[in-house]
Amino acid sequence: MEDRSFEGVNFEQNAFDDLEWIQCRFSKCSFKGLRISELATKGCEFDECDFTGGGLSSSKHRSTGFLNCVFVNSDLFGSRFEKCRMIGSTFDGANLSAIEIVSGDWSFVNLRYQELNGMDLRTVRFKGADFAGASLRKCDLRDTLFDQASLIHAKLRDSDLRGASLDEVDLRNTDLKGARFDIAQAIHFAHCYGIIVE
């Protein structure tokens, strides 16, 4: 399916025979409960779409935008998002096991309490993202942008944060045991506790 546009459509199961979508646009569409495993998208745009309780397992997305979309209780197992824009989307209760995130903009997403252990998230933008209670143990977070993100009660044990941007991030209630910092980040960490470094 290529260069198609849909607005306000409530899609039903088996609505799609073609699982390769190129430069298609979906606005305020519902994919609730739909299982679309192994879907491949390239250059598509999903704006305020609802994927609640659906399944996109083993799907592959390249340069696709999911803007302010809802993935509550969705199954995204084994999915790959390459250079995608996920701005403002929410993933409450979603299965993100074994997903791959290659670059891209995940600003202002809701990833509260998600298990993201061991993931390579280098250079991904997470500005203003909510990671409260999330687990990012042993992640590669080098050069990742976390500006204004919430890391309250997040677990970043043994993760590599060298080069990551942490502007306006409060680290006081974040589990950072064994995490690797560069000098600038170590100073930022000290400032979070009111320590003056001279």
Side-chain angles (χ1 to χ4, degrees), residues 1-35:
M1 181 166 65
E2 187 170 356
D3 198 25
R4 297 280 305 278
S5 295
F6 304 88
E7 184 172 359
V9 179
N10 293 322
F11 292 107
E12 298 179 355
Q13 194 66 46
N14 301 320
F16 306 104
D17 294 323
D18 186 355
L19 293 181
E20 184 175 358
W21 302 351
I22 301 173
Q23 295 182 340
C24 293
R25 294 163 295 281
F26 301 83
S27 177
K28 298 181 180 178
C29 292
S30 174
F31 298 85
K32 282 186 176 181
L34 264 63
R35 316 294 294 184

Side-chain angles (χ1 to χ4, degrees), residues 37 52 73 77 92 136 153 157 163 165 190:
S37 297
T52 298
N73 297 326
F77 176 85
D92 285 334
L136 295 97
H153 301 304
R157 285 192 174 209
S165 181

